[in-house]
Amino acid sequence: MSSYINQWNNMFKDQQSQQQNMAEIDLYYKLETNAYEKILAEPDKIWQGPFEELQYELGFRNKPVIFAGFLEGINSSLRNQIDLEQLSEDSQITLEPDFHKLFLAMHDAKADWLYSIKHWDNIFSAEERQQFLFDWRQSKIARSEKIGRNDPCPCGSGKKYKKCCGK
């Protein structure tokens, strides 16, 4: 029997499979949003318990494969990541998100339906979120250390680079 995470990932292997599973994917987005709303509504809560129990608590009911997909999405933002390959109904899971990482991961994934959830207001102020985004965007900008021909020469002569060391 393949693991839940393998079943989840197999949904995306080929185009035909994707079309057949569109209903599941649409359901995933709905359930994912509801789960994040619950998690964000109680930011001090550490969500823990057996896989099956947590699946129900976060609203994934009889959808273990979709819940595994959710866990894959949140995993990089957890303080202690989960070994997704070993997931089973009895696996003990602890979800303790690093909300700063989670917020930026949602932006990185361009998941506007998630980073615009109202409950983010309970965790970070609008100003803090704007600063996170500013810093995040700045980290994505490519920078070059190349000296331009008309820049001051780094040797300190006061001449243009092209007239000094750039000859």
Side-chain angles (χ1 to χ4, degrees):
M1 181 178 175
S2 72
S3 70
Y4 291 134
I5 199 65
N6 287 339
Q7 291 176 48
W8 171 254
N9 288 324
N10 285 337
M11 289 175 68
F12 304 100
K13 289 243 177 186
D14 60 60
Q15 190 65 29
Q16 184 179 12
S17 177
Q18 285 182 22
Q19 291 170 351
Q20 290 171 345
N21 293 306
M22 280 309 285
E24 290 290 303
I25 293 168
D26 288 343
L27 178 60
Y28 168 77
Y29 288 133
K30 180 181 178 217
L31 295 176
E32 174 191 41
T33 303
N34 291 338
Y36 278 122
E37 284 175 346
K38 288 178 184 181
I39 290 169
L40 295 172
E42 297 183 66
D44 296 328
K45 180 176 180 174
I46 297 174
W47 299 79
Q48 56 188 15
F51 176 93
E52 190 172 34
E53 186 180 299
L54 211 51
Q55 165 191 327
Y56 277 86
E57 193 174 352
L58 288 172
F60 290 88
R61 306 258 176 252
N62 296 315
K63 298 291 183 181
V65 173
I66 292 178
F67 184 54
F70 170 78
L71 293 176
E72 183 179 43
I74 196 174
N75 203 28
S76 65
S77 301
L78 296 176
R79 296 190 193 284
N80 297 301
Q81 292 189 6
I82 301 165
D83 182 356
L84 298 172
E85 294 296 326
Q86 302 301 317
L87 283 179
S88 69
E89 290 178 354
D90 300 327
S91 296
Q92 288 294 317
I93 296 174
T94 301
L95 301 180
E96 186 179 3
D98 176 328
F99 289 108
H100 179 256
K101 274 186 180 177
L102 182 61
F103 183 74
L104 294 179
M106 289 174 174
H107 276 275
D108 211 22
K110 297 178 176 64
D112 59 334
W113 64 95
L114 297 176
Y115 62 73
S116 61
I117 292 174
K118 182 182 181 308
H119 294 300
W120 278 111
D121 294 342
N122 300 336
I123 299 169
F124 301 118
S125 68
E127 294 80 18
E128 287 174 309
R129 292 192 308 265
Q130 289 298 74
Q131 186 63 49
F132 294 159
L133 290 177
F134 176 80
D135 294 343
W136 176 71
R137 287 183 186 116
Q138 290 297 311
S139 74
K140 302 289 183 191
I141 295 173
R143 293 187 175 22
S144 173
E145 298 300 319
K146 184 177 177 181
I147 303 165
R149 289 177 35 79
N150 290 316
D151 289 341
C153 190
C155 76
S157 68
K159 297 179 183 177
K160 288 186 179 186
Y161 180 69
K162 69 181 177 185
K163 296 281 186 178
C164 189
C165 295
K167 291 181 182 180

